[in-house]
Amino acid sequence: MGKLTRRTRSGGRLWSAEIKGRAVFESMKPDARVCDVARRYGVKAQQLPAA
């Protein structure tokens, strides 16, 4: 979905502020399912806020 900005030394992913904001915005829409949004961005649902 979005492009990663870079990876940490341990292999973790660092996302741009734009991509983070987009994912959070999508997850907070009334008809959105957090698990579906998380899957699209390749993260766990617990990493996004619940609407």
Side-chain angles (χ1 to χ4, degrees):
M1 176 115 253
K3 189 168 186 169
L4 297 174
T5 55
R6 62 188 174 117
R7 290 197 175 262
T8 63
R9 287 183 182 180
S10 63
R13 298 176 290 185
L14 297 176
W15 301 88
S16 70
E18 178 186 352
I19 294 172
K20 287 180 189 178
R22 193 180 320 147
V24 170
F25 179 75
E26 285 182 31
S27 70
M28 296 184 85
K29 288 182 180 177
D31 60 337
R33 289 183 36 179
V34 175
C35 61
D36 293 336
V37 175
R39 189 175 300 117
R40 279 197 301 273
Y41 284 90
V43 298
K44 294 182 180 184
Q46 294 86 348
Q47 295 174 296
L48 293 173

